[in-house]
């Protein structure tokens, strides 16, 4: 039974200024789901990139099915039967779903691509995974969640013996996660070994057999999932206990002024949305995928055109046509898709954080570098961005730390109204509680926050009120003292 598939021992990896892996070990059995956990920047993705030949190791050995192997490229890993779903989406936006899945393996009719055959095969694959996605859609027209499902479908199409999933559920909602778990169970039954990286600790208890913890590039320990509790996992990851307390009562006075009001907001996906956001309030927005939460945020931010609707800030009607207008009116939007909208990956931490605050640092467009440097350093410290310096390129940071840079960017901008779209996606528990603390500080300073989230515990913990959407409509707003997961789910599925 307990057949060893992969054994990594004494793995070393250096990047300029970073000892990313320090004598790290990891093993994976046939038919097991093995979780890899650790704080942002602990080295999880790096260890798996070494295993899949994307990074060259600086020391240590890898044994695969009993033989010593050197894996020089992702292609070699694939040939050995080791597949990976990367943390960052890795698809070509202007190509179709089918083209992305079968890139490099397309069916040919003579010298030409046989799109029909490729589409049919993609169709069959997507259907077998219960995914309702047209293989001829361009990737750029899909939501992040659907892109993620396509990425998973692609990895599964290789029929790997080892499948690494790096944060596969970060962009998914409950029902999609359930279907992903079903595939995982099927694969496990077929003897596939699965490495499962996730910051959603409740998931680990549901789906994994063993858990290996990493801290600062080092191996900490491996335990049987059945033997541990979530607080124990957290303790292993961060070396300290973290307490999660839900909000039981709103912190906003009844007569607090309204900082943002939207009336009769309409677009293709949003129907008659109206709500008020009070000064100092955190308004949570709950809903299933496709409920229109991000679309609503994008209308308020001027990123998409509205067909009708009115926006009032501090009681005054404003005209927001572009994100530029929104920013000028003091609205910041932390997008759910950091790669597409949030970050310039090829620029440094400092440039990414200070760009949006450009006006504040510059006089007549001359950027005051000293000031940008000072503020960036302050925020990097405050939210604990793990980077050797603020001059590191953002693409070299771990996924969770990239997310923190987006956050820093809007914090520096000093907006009065902040829209956070899935702010803690992919962020480790320690950093999560830092971000929660920061959000609470921000509202205490008199800022107002809209927080879109798919994580119920987060909504219940942070919000003063929870607005719920379904199919583009607002189906209800619950005060935090009456909100429960059940009530939210009922409203989230209340179709017309
Ligand atoms: N290409 C690279 N160049 C320079 N440094 C890198 C590179 N890739 C990773 N690092 C650094 O190595 C360390 C480990 O990063 P890694 O991405 O493995 O973390 P992680 O555990 O996957 O974190 P997360 O939970 O945020 O995804 C980090 O300090 C990161 O900044
Ligand atoms: Mg990672």
């Amino acid at each position: 039974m307990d057949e060893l598939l992969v054994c990594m021992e004494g793995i070393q990896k250096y990047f300029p200024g970073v000892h990313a892996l320090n004598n790290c070990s990891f093993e994976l059995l046939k038919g097991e789901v093995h979780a890899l956990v650790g704080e942002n920047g602990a080295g999880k993705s790096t260890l798996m990139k070494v295993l899949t030949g994307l990074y060259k190791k600086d020391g240590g050995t890898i044994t695969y099915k009993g033989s010593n192997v050197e894996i020089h490229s992702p292609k070699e890993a694939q040939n050995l039967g080791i597949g990976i779903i990367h943390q960052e989406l890795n698809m070509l936006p202007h190509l179709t779903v089918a083209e992305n899945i079968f890139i490099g393996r397309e069916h040919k009719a003579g010298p030409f691509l046989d799109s029909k055959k490729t589409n049919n095969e993609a169709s069959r694959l997507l259907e077998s995974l219960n995914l309702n996605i047209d293989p001829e859609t361009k990737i750029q027209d899909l939501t992040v969640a659907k892109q993620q499902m396509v990425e998973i479908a692609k990895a599964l199409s290789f029929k790997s013996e080892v499948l690494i999933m790096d944060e596969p559920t970060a962009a998914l909602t409950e029902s999609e996660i359930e279907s992903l778990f079903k595939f995982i169970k099927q694969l496990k039954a077929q003897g596939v070994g699965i490495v499962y990286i996730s910051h959603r600790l409740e998931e680990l208890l549901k789906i994994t057999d063993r858990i290996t913890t990493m801290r600062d590039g080092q191996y900490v320990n491996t335990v049987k999932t059945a033997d541990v509790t979530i607080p124990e996992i957290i303790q292993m990851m961060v070396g300290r206990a973290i307490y999660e307390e839900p909000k039981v009562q709103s912190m906003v006075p009844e007569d607090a002024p309204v900082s943002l009001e939207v009336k009769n907001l309409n677009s293709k996906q949003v129907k008659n949305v109206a709500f008020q956001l009070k000064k100092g309030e955190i308004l949570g927005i709950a809903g299933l995928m496709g409920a229109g939460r991000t679309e609503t945020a994008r209308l308020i931010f001027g990123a998409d055109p509205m067909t009708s609707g009115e926006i009032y800030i501090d009681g005054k009607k404003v005209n927001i046509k572009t994100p530029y207008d929104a920013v000028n009116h003091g609205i910041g939007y932390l997008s759910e898709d950091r790669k597409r909208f949030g970050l310039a990956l090829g620029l440094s931490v400092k440039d990414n954080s200070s760009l949006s605050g450009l006006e504040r640092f510059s006089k007549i467009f001359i950027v005051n570098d000293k000031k940008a440097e000072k503020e960036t350093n302050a925020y990097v410290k405050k939210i604990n961005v793990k980077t050797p310096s603020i001059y590191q390129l953002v693409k070299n940071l771990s996924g969770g730390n990239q997310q923190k840079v987006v956050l820093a960017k809007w914090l520096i901008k000093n907006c009065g109204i902040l829209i956070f779209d899935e702010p803690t996606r992919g962020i480790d528990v320690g950093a999560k509680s830092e971000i929660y603390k920061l959000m609470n500080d921000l509202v205490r300073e008199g800022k107002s926050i809209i927080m879109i989230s798919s994580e119920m515990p987060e909504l219940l913990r942070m919000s003063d009120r929870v607005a719920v959407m379904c199919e583009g409509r607002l189906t209800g707003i619950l005060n935090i003292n009456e909100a429960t997961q059940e009530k939210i789910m009922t409203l989230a599925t209340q179709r017309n």
Side-chain angles (χ1 to χ4, degrees):
M1 228 357 249
D2 288 356
E3 199 179 316
L4 197 56
L5 267 179
V6 175
C7 181
M8 302 178 82
E9 276 175 312
I11 305 292
Q12 302 281 355
K13 180 70 196 172
Y14 296 90
F15 294 113
V18 183
H19 192 174
L21 297 174
N22 182 3
N23 192 22
C24 221
S25 20
F26 180 73
E27 56 168 53
L28 179 69
L29 303 175
K30 207 171 154 156
E32 103 169 310
V33 183
H34 196 141
L36 194 52
V37 302
E39 290 184 277
N40 296 133
K44 306 176 297 289
S45 299
T46 303
L47 187 67
M48 291 303 117
K49 285 177 183 169
V50 165
L51 179 58
T52 49
L54 202 63
Y55 289 160
K56 184 177 171 304
K57 60 178 159 52
D58 298 317
T61 55
I62 303 177
T63 318
Y64 181 62
K65 296 203 275 190
S67 335
N68 210 319
V69 287
E70 291 292 332
I71 302 172
H72 302 98
S73 70
K75 186 99 197 139
E76 278 185 37
Q78 220 159 61
N79 291 340
L80 286 170
I82 305 175
I84 184 163
I85 299 163
H86 284 290
Q87 182 170 19
E88 301 298 329
L89 296 171
N90 255 314
M91 281 180 295
L92 300 168
H94 55 282
L95 295 186
T96 67
V97 168
E99 286 162 349
N100 267 285
I101 294 178
F102 292 107
I103 197 156
R105 313 179 273 164
E106 298 92 345
H107 289 286
K108 297 250 169 91
F112 302 107
L113 290 184
D114 187 344
S115 317
K116 199 160 164 222
K117 209 163 163 195
T118 308
N119 284 335
N120 282 342
E121 194 161 337
S123 232
R124 271 201 302 279
L125 175 71
L126 294 166
E127 267 165 34
S128 74
L129 301 175
N130 261 326
L131 295 176
N132 184 15
I133 298 172
D134 177 358
E136 292 178 60
T137 326
K138 287 205 171 119
I139 289 291
Q140 64 199 19
D141 297 330
L142 294 176
T143 60
V144 185
K146 290 225 160 123
Q147 291 183 24
Q148 181 72 52
M149 293 307 271
V150 173
E151 185 101 41
I152 292 168
K154 177 174 177 172
L156 295 178
S157 73
F158 284 102
K159 312 222 179 321
S160 309
E161 287 180 71
V162 170
L163 188 59
I164 300 153
M165 301 189 176
D166 196 348
E167 290 279 346
T169 58
L172 306 186
T173 53
E174 300 296 328
S175 66
E176 293 160 319
I177 294 175
E178 283 311 313
S179 39
L180 176 66
F181 284 1
K182 262 191 227 142
F183 316 147
I184 293 183
K185 284 182 185 143
Q186 281 170 19
L187 292 170
K188 185 175 144 74
Q190 292 160 20
V192 177
I194 295 165
V195 183
Y196 191 87
I197 302 177
S198 175
H199 288 293
R200 295 185 165 188
L201 304 179
E202 325 82 62
E203 285 179 7
L204 304 184
L205 299 188
K206 279 198 210 155
I207 197 76
T208 67
D209 302 300
R210 289 196 295 166
I211 301 174
T212 288
T213 306
M214 291 176 69
R215 202 189 302 153
D216 294 329
Q218 285 177 301
Y219 171 86
V220 177
N221 64 359
T222 302
V223 294
K224 280 211 172 91
T225 307
D227 298 342
V228 287
T229 62
I230 288 183
E232 285 166 346
I233 303 173
I234 294 174
Q235 177 80 37
M236 291 186 296
M237 278 172 65
V238 298
R240 66 192 143 94
I242 287 172
Y243 301 100
E244 296 266 329
E245 266 175 51
K247 211 179 240 180
V248 282
Q249 206 164 354
S250 170
M251 298 294 165
V252 184
E254 272 293 320
D255 58 350
V258 174
S259 46
L260 171 79
E261 175 161 19
V262 301
K263 289 184 185 167
N264 191 28
L265 216 53
N266 278 290
S267 74
K268 227 163 103 189
Q269 287 111 343
V270 175
K271 298 184 187 89
N272 270 322
V273 166
F275 63 82
Q276 295 185 331
L277 173 71
K278 289 188 173 168
K279 191 172 159 76
E281 180 177 45
I282 300 181
L283 176 70
I285 304 191
L288 304 176
M289 194 191 78
R293 297 171 298 167
T294 295
E295 286 79 4
T296 302
R298 289 175 56 85
L299 291 185
I300 299 171
F301 192 60
D304 289 327
M306 53 173 99
T307 45
S308 69
E310 289 157 32
I311 300 177
Y312 297 81
I313 293 177
D314 298 329
K316 273 208 289 287
K317 190 166 170 191
V318 293
N319 196 357
I320 295 176
K321 290 235 151 54
T322 62
Y324 186 80
D325 298 338
V327 172
N328 276 338
H329 283 111
I331 302 179
Y333 174 48
L334 181 114
S335 144
E336 65 172 336
D337 185 349
R338 58 178 174 259
K339 209 163 174 182
R340 252 200 296 185
F341 307 111
L343 285 172
L345 292 172
L347 292 183
S348 71
V349 172
K350 188 199 113 221
D351 288 341
N352 265 288
S353 348
S354 55
L355 274 179
S356 73
L358 217 52
E359 318 79 289
R360 284 186 59 227
F361 296 122
S362 57
K363 282 211 176 92
I364 332 170
F365 300 117
I366 299 167
V367 181
N368 180 339
D369 233 31
K370 276 266 145 49
K371 200 159 174 221
E373 201 167 283
K374 205 169 144 222
E375 287 225 12
T376 307
N377 266 321
Y379 276 105
V380 158
K381 219 167 134 198
K382 197 163 177 183
I383 53 177
N384 212 352
V385 180
K386 197 172 172 196
T387 175
S389 87
I390 60 170
Y391 298 101
Q392 178 73 301
L393 299 185
V394 162
K395 66 174 179 212
N396 292 338
L397 298 186
S398 80
N401 282 299
Q402 291 184 3
Q403 178 79 340
K404 291 194 209 168
V405 174
V406 189
L407 195 65
K409 163 172 147 173
W410 290 112
L411 294 177
I412 289 175
K413 177 74 185 98
N414 207 5
C415 299
I417 298 166
L418 286 160
I419 307 176
F420 285 4
D421 201 343
E422 305 287 358
T424 64
R425 173 181 291 170
I427 291 200
D428 73 56
V429 275
K432 232 183 212 177
S433 72
E434 299 293 321
I435 286 174
Y436 294 155
K437 212 158 67 213
L438 205 84
M439 287 172 76
N440 284 329
D441 287 348
L442 291 170
V443 289
R444 232 171 276 133
E445 284 166 20
K447 296 183 195 295
S448 312
I449 296 177
I450 294 175
M451 181 181 70
I452 300 172
S453 173
S454 298
E455 287 190 47
M456 291 274 197
E458 171 167 291
L459 285 167
L460 292 172
R461 178 184 167 164
M462 295 303 295
S463 314
D464 295 292
R465 290 182 300 150
V466 182
V468 190
M469 292 188 70
C470 177
E471 294 180 346
R473 292 170 305 115
L474 201 64
T475 48
I477 301 186
L478 300 164
N479 282 322
I480 198 63
N481 53 3
E482 54 170 2
T484 59
Q485 297 216 8
E486 293 71 35
K487 282 189 194 162
I488 293 175
M489 275 319 285
T490 309
L491 288 170
T493 49
Q494 192 175 302
R495 304 210 152 74
N496 238 347

